[in-house]
């Protein structure tokens, strides 16, 4: 798909923020260690986390820097980030409400700019060029690729049933239609690909690639899988409008039937990291 096929709007994740902490699997500490080691981070410099959402990556990486700035276009996501920071005692993060396309926004320069599950929603070439100009000469762009709402598919034996994601997706489609929803628009071909070409056109070199291997099995509850569904742009609560209660009732019935003692098990997927240099 082309960059112009879909237009961002502020309802993209409307109603999803409160579901992130419950429904999304957290990034592992090993991710922070891998990034620290690859970039020789020593607690100095500044981090810019773009499209930070509720701070899932921001709060993991913030201790590696003197200060951090989390930028997002969704006010509720930022409020959740502040709440989580307070709960963790993280005090070196500033939260800014703005779209990535509005950068540099007088934010200054940064040692690292990070993106996690966010870049594909942006005017990528514009954002890449603007962020490149915000990096110090020895800085880096860190792109984290992960699937945090569900584990990997497989037929290996786990201690509890896997969450029935194919059936969940069918249920969402029965309410919202077969074409993926996103904000007020549709994504018939999915989100944009070809990140490498965009980054090189913007003047970056690389990437250096890291893999943070996980593979651990985690237990998840019906509540957690329910929140995982609502944490997605394609099934954000606002999309169901006055049918939200009916959808949630059907979803919970599906999950309760598939679970054992309210439990599922999923194997966490590996995390891929691409590091680009300005």
């Amino acid at each position: 798909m082309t960059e112009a096929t879909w237009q961002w709007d502020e309802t993209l994740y409307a109603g999803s923020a409160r579901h992130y902490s419950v429904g999304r699997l957290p990034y592992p500490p090993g991710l922070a260690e891998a990034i620290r080691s690859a970039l020789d981070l020593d607690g100095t410099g500044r981090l810019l986390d773009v499209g930070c959402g509720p701070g899932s990556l921001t709060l993991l990486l913030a201790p590696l820097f003197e200060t951090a700035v989390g930028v997002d276009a969704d006010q509720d996501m930022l409020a959740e980030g502040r709440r989580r920071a307070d709960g963790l005692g993280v005090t070196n993060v500033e939260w800014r409400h703005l779209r990535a396309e509005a950068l540099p926004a007088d934010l200054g320069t940064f040692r690292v700019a990070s993106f996690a599950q966010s870049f594909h929603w942006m005017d990528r070439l514009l954002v890449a060029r603007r962020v490149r100009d915000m990096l110090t000469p020895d800085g880096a762009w860190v792109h984290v690729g992960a699937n945090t709402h569900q584990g990997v598919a497989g037929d290996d034996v786990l201690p509890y049933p896997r969450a029935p994601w194919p059936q969940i997706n069918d249920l969402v489609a029965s309410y919202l239609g077969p074409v993926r929803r996103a904000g007020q628009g549709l994504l018939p071909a999915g989100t944009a690909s070809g990140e490498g070409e965009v980054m090189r056109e913007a003047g970056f070199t690389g990437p250096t690639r890291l893999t943070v291997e996980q593979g651990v099995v985690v237990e998840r509850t019906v509540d957690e899988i329910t929140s995982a569904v609502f944490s997605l742009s394609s099934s954000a609560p606002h999309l169901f409008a006055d049918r939200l209660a009916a959808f949630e009732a059907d979803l919970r019935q599906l999950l309760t039937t598939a679970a054992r003692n309210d439990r599922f098990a999923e194997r966490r997927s590996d995390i891929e990291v691409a590091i680009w240099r300005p």
Side-chain angles (χ1 to χ4, degrees):
M1 82 179 230
T2 65
E3 299 284 312
T5 300
W6 173 84
Q7 295 294 318
W8 178 89
D9 70 80
E10 63 184 6
T11 68
L12 181 59
Y13 281 99
S16 292
R18 68 183 182 87
H19 292 285
Y20 255 74
S21 297
V22 179
R24 295 289 182 122
L25 295 167
Y27 294 115
L31 174 60
E33 175 55 30
I35 293 172
R36 184 204 63 77
S37 179
L39 299 180
D40 293 323
L41 300 176
D42 57 3
T44 63
R46 304 173 72 213
L47 167 71
L48 175 67
D49 191 22
V50 185
C52 66
S56 304
L57 184 64
T58 326
L59 297 173
L60 180 70
L61 299 184
L64 304 179
F65 298 86
E66 184 176 355
T67 60
V69 178
V71 168
D72 203 90
D74 189 302
Q75 285 274 31
D76 290 341
M77 290 289 188
L78 294 171
E80 180 69 8
R82 294 186 186 97
R83 184 192 68 79
R84 295 173 71 176
D86 289 344
L88 294 169
V90 176
T91 59
N92 68 332
V93 179
E94 176 186 355
W95 307 94
R96 293 291 298 271
H97 179 227
L98 54 89
R99 292 188 64 194
E101 289 81 357
L103 293 169
D106 295 322
L107 291 179
T109 57
F110 296 84
R111 185 173 183 179
V112 172
S114 58
F115 292 73
Q117 306 179 72
S118 63
F119 190 43
H120 55 276
W121 296 121
M122 302 169 187
D123 182 333
R124 297 182 301 166
L125 184 57
L126 173 66
V127 171
R129 285 172 170 165
R130 291 187 175 180
V131 170
R132 182 173 180 266
D133 290 341
M134 298 173 71
L135 292 172
T136 58
D138 63 343
W141 169 304
V142 176
H143 187 264
V144 176
N147 189 358
T148 56
H149 75 281
Q150 68 180 95
V152 297
D155 55 10
D156 51 319
V157 177
L158 301 180
Y160 289 95
R162 281 182 166 83
W165 284 105
Q167 291 82 5
I168 293 171
N169 295 335
D170 288 344
L171 179 63
V172 171
S174 74
Y175 274 82
L176 301 181
V179 180
R180 179 178 171 182
R181 300 281 298 275
Q184 300 303 307
L186 300 172
L187 287 174
T191 53
S193 58
E195 176 191 302
E197 290 82 356
V198 173
M199 296 297 288
R200 293 184 183 94
E201 186 175 350
F204 285 89
T205 61
T208 300
R209 298 192 182 275
L210 311 173
T211 299
V212 179
E213 296 182 351
Q214 296 195 94
V216 297
V217 174
V218 295
E219 294 181 13
R220 307 186 74 192
T221 66
V222 167
D223 284 346
E224 290 169 342
I225 300 299
T226 298
S227 280
V229 174
F230 285 135
S231 76
L232 299 171
S233 62
S234 56
S235 49
H238 76 95
L239 294 173
F240 298 93
D242 59 0
R243 303 181 72 196
L244 177 59
F247 170 76
E248 182 169 353
D250 286 345
L251 175 60
R252 287 184 176 277
Q253 181 177 6
L254 167 64
L255 295 176
T256 300
T257 301
R260 189 172 77 245
N261 298 329
D262 191 53
R263 290 287 191 275
F264 297 100
E266 292 191 306
R267 190 176 298 280
R268 298 184 57 154
S269 61
D270 294 343
I271 297 175
E272 304 297 329
V273 179
I275 299 175
W276 296 86
R277 295 288 186 172

